[in-house]
C-alpha cells in the first residue's frame, strides 16, 4: 500500500456509499515512522497527520511545521493532564478527551495560550479496561462539562476492540454523534477504514497502509 492507494480506496468508498470525497479527511498516522518516510508523504501533498505521543510528535514535527505551515496535527493517543500545555501548543485537534479533569486542563491551557482547538471525545465503545475513552454511559456528562467550560467538542473518536466486528462500533459512534449533534467522527484504521466510511467516518486514521509496518523499536 501507499498514500496513493489509500487515497484511491477512500475515494472509491466515498463513491460507493454516496458520500462526497471531501466528507472524509485522511489523518496519516506518522507515529514510529522515520523522518524520511514522513517527508516523502509530505512531498505527495498530504497535510493532515496523527501522532499518539506528545513527545514523539514534538520530535517529528517541531521543525517540519515551520517548513510546512499548513500542516494539521491530530493527537490520537491518551493525553496526561500534565502534558496538556505541550499538547495545546503543538496540536491542532485533540481527538482523545476522555475525562473531566483532562477537559478542564485543556480548556485552561487553551485560554492561557489563546489557542482554541477543536476537540473530539474518545468513546470506549468496547468497554475495554486497558483502553482510553469514556464509556457510552459517561459521555453525556462529559459533554455537558465540556460545553459548560467552553471546550469546543466537534466530534467523537473510537478504537474498536481488535477481535470484534468493527461495524458495530462504528454504527454506535455514529448514533451517539447524531444524538448529541456532533459533526465529526474519527474512526477506521488501516484494516477497516472503508468500513468506517460506510458508517459515516469524517476522519480515518491510517498508518501502516500508508507508511508500511512501524519500526518495532
Ligand atoms: C496507530 C494508530 C492508528 C493507525 O493504525 P494503523 O493500523 O497503522 O493504520 C490509528 N489510530 C490510533 C489511535 C493509533 O494509535
Amino acid at each position: 500500500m501507499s498514500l496513493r492507494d489509500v487515497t484511491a480506496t477512500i475515494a472509491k468508498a466515498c463513491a460507493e456509499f454516496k458520500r462526497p470525497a471531501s466528507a472524509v479527511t485522511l489523518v496519516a498516522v506518522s507515529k514510529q515512522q522515520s523522518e524520511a518516510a514522513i517527508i516523502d508523504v509530505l512531498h505527495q501533498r498530504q497535510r493532515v497527520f496523527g501522532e499518539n505521543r506528545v513527545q514523539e510528535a514534538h520530535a517529528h514535527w517541531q521543525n517540519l511545521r515551520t517548513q510546512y505551515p499548513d500542516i494539521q496535527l491530530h493527537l490520537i493517543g491518551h493525553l496526561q493532564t500534565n502534558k496538556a500545555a505541550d499538547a495545546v501548543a503543538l496540536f491542532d485537534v485533540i481527538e482523545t478527551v476522555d475525562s473531566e479533569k483532562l477537559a478542564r486542563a485543556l480548556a485552561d491551557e487553551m485560554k492561557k495560550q489563546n489557542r482554541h482547538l477543536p476537540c473530539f471525545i474518545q468513546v470506549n465503545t468496547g468497554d475495554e479496561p486497558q483502553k482510553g475513552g469514556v464509556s457510552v454511559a459517561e459521555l453525556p456528562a462529559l459533554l455537558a462539562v465540556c460545553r459548560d467550560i467552553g471546550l469546543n467538542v466537534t466530534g467523537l473518536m473510537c478504537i474498536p476492540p481488535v477481535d470484534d466486528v468493527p461495524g458495530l462500533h462504528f454504527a454506535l459512534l455514529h448514533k451517539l454523534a447524531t444524538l448529541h449533534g456532533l459533526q465529526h467522527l474519527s474512526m477506521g484504521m488501516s484494516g477497516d477504514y472503508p468500513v468506517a466510511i460506510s458508517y459515516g467516518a469524517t476522519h480515518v486514521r491510517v498508518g501502516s497502509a500508508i507508511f508500511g509496518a512501524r519500526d518495532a523499536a
Side-chain angles (χ1 to χ4, degrees), residues 29 31 52 76 157 159 189-190 205-208 214:
V29 178
K31 68 183 187 199
N52 68 338
I76 61 170
M157 178 269 211
I159 309 169
M189 313 190 351
S190 289
R205 309 178 308 267
V206 181
S208 41
R214 277 179 288 274

Side-chain angles (χ1 to χ4, degrees), residues 131-176:
K131 222 166 243 176
V134 288
S135 68
V136 171
E138 292 163 334
L139 175 63
L142 180 55
L143 257 175
V145 167
C146 292
R147 283 173 177 159
D148 193 44
I149 61 179
L151 195 70
N152 181 22
V153 176
T154 66
L156 301 177
M157 178 269 211
C158 78
I159 309 169
V162 278
D163 299 329
D164 258 11
V165 181
L168 296 174
H169 297 270
F170 298 155
L172 172 60
L173 204 68
H174 181 257
K175 194 180 108 184
L176 292 170

